[in-house]
Amino acid sequence: MTELRQQTGIPQLDEMLSGGLLPGKLTVVLGATGIGKTQLGLQFAQAGLQQEGQAGILFDMATRGDSQSHSDYAERLFQWKLREQFVDAPFDLEQIWNADQARKDYQHLFRQSGRRVTRRDMELDEWKEWKLEFVKKLDSAIAFFYSNFVHGVRRTVIDGIEPTDRPSDSFQFHAFEYVYHQIMRKEYDWVARDLFRAQFRSHQEQIEQHPYDFQQIGCLLLLTTHEVMLDDLIQRPIESGDVLSNANTIILMGKIREGNRMSRALHIAKHRGSAVDESLVPFEIQESGLQLLT
């Protein structure tokens, strides 16, 4: 039986990916600021509305304010008004089972403008402060993911990770690894235990009435790079243990030179277990979003 793939919202890209992305796997999109990663992420999230009956969710890890303009893009591209789950707002666990109250589209984990994210830029005390801040926000993040997954969301887009020379030096990558492995890739009842804690038994009947299969949830990680040119991205080395080495699919987005002008192009560098079109495909950002010029 052929596994159902998640469509990206871009038919030409789905063709290059042998039908789309595999659910339950990690896809990483790399490119410089402004290349079009966020538009691609929003198109993937919006495509869930038609394919799974629920649009995907956006988890923003930027530390320098809302530079990604998710709300503006979503409204312009799809007339989609993002409902935000504020990370510091009190969350009533009794509301989780009410889809109208619990379903949110967007959460911004760190809203502290100008915060440095790499270990080499910080004193030890600053690194400890990051960890403490993340722990404080973790319950809200768990609630955000869980309350969406129990109501049918099967796509997550994670944005806002800043470029670093070594991912292992970045606090954002530490936070991503936790979210990915300890929330997105755990059985639903174990996520519920982490969320409800002492109240788990009193909610157990409702938890069992709202199961979900984490292996059906796709994750698109949008990773900002120093490299601007597509050729430089293609030659970029992958560290052992790097998130890229664990990704099922890697999509590169960068600039290419055509004669005396620059344009944008996309390349699928990795698509494990699938036939893949390895062409360099030009694309444009149009009013309707990212459009491949094939």
Side-chain angles (χ1 to χ4, degrees):
M1 184 172 125
T2 303
E3 185 170 7
L4 182 64
R5 293 172 182 254
Q6 292 184 317
Q7 295 165 359
T8 63
I10 305 169
Q12 305 100 314
L13 181 56
D14 291 335
E15 289 181 17
M16 295 176 67
L17 293 164
S18 296
L21 299 173
L22 291 171
K25 305 295 184 183
L26 175 62
T27 296
V28 181
V29 181
L30 292 94
T33 299
I35 197 66
K37 301 185 302 297
T38 297
Q39 286 93 332
L40 173 57
L42 283 166
Q43 285 172 264
F44 170 73
Q46 179 69 13
L49 190 60
Q50 181 175 358
Q51 194 169 7
E52 294 109 31
Q54 291 285 343
I57 54 176
L58 302 150
F59 190 68
D60 189 353
M61 299 184 69
T63 65
R64 304 178 188 278
D66 191 8
S67 58
Q68 302 351 286
S69 302
H70 298 99
S71 295
D72 293 342
Y73 287 143
E75 189 160 6
R76 178 169 57 82
L77 293 174
F78 307 112
Q79 293 78 55
W80 181 14
K81 293 184 181 296
L82 296 182
R83 299 161 294 178
E84 181 170 0
Q85 175 63 55
F86 292 97
V87 72
D88 295 320
F91 191 90
D92 184 356
L93 293 175
E94 300 295 332
Q95 294 181 357
I96 282 182
W97 315 116
N98 184 325
D100 291 337
Q101 294 177 315
R103 268 286 284 122
K104 304 292 183 181
D105 306 303
Y106 175 82
Q107 186 173 66
H108 192 168
L109 190 62
F110 303 113
R111 282 190 180 275
Q112 301 196 10
S113 179
R115 284 290 294 272
R116 294 169 294 185
V117 299
T118 56
R119 187 188 293 267
R120 69 183 61 184
D121 293 331
M122 293 184 237
E123 301 292 338
L124 180 60
D125 286 346
E126 291 179 292
W127 187 260
K128 289 180 179 178
E129 285 176 14
W130 263 121
K131 291 183 177 180
L132 181 60
E133 182 178 350
F134 177 60
V135 169
K136 288 179 179 178
K137 296 175 183 292
L138 194 53
D139 283 348
S140 183
I142 295 171
F144 174 67
F145 285 103
Y146 181 80
S147 58
N148 279 295
F149 294 160
V150 297
H151 292 297
V153 171
R154 295 295 176 263
R155 298 169 184 235
T156 296
V157 177
I158 298 181
D159 202 355
I161 295 186
E162 299 166 28
T164 57
D165 294 328
R166 291 175 57 87
S168 57
D169 286 341
S170 168
F171 183 81
Q172 287 177 309
F173 274 97
H174 282 264
F176 166 74
E177 291 282 357
Y178 186 94
V179 167
Y180 186 73
H181 292 292
Q182 299 301 320
I183 304 176
M184 296 190 62
R185 291 294 172 258
K186 281 176 73 169
E187 296 285 354
Y188 74 92
D189 53 337
W190 284 103
V191 179
R193 288 176 190 275
D194 291 340
L195 178 61
F196 289 99
R197 297 180 183 171
Q199 299 180 48
F200 177 80
R201 289 194 179 279
S202 63
H203 285 273
Q204 192 163 7
E205 183 177 347
Q206 290 168 305
I207 290 167
E208 293 303 326
Q209 290 172 358
H210 294 81
Y212 63 85
D213 182 0
F214 72 88
Q215 296 184 61
Q216 294 303 310
I217 297 171
C219 180
L220 202 68
L221 174 64
L222 310 182
L223 180 59
T224 301
T225 63
H226 293 300
E227 295 91 346
V228 174
M229 302 300 293
L230 186 55
D231 281 347
D232 293 333
L233 282 169
I234 292 171
Q235 296 170 23
R236 173 189 172 120
I238 297 176
E239 292 182 41
S240 176
D242 189 332
V243 65
L244 299 181
S245 66
N246 297 320
N248 189 81
T249 303
I250 298 175
I251 300 173
L252 309 178
M253 301 172 68
K255 296 286 187 72
I256 58 172
R257 188 183 300 276
E258 295 181 316
N260 61 354
R261 63 184 292 269
M262 301 289 284
S263 60
R264 307 179 190 196
L266 175 151
H267 171 66
I268 300 169
K270 178 182 177 183
H271 194 39
R272 187 178 289 151
S274 305
V276 62
D277 184 339
E278 296 183 341
S279 305
L280 305 186
V281 180
F283 68 88
E284 292 178 348
I285 304 296
Q286 302 179 353
E287 284 299 312
S288 58
L290 192 147
Q291 180 74 40
L292 301 193
L293 306 178
T294 57

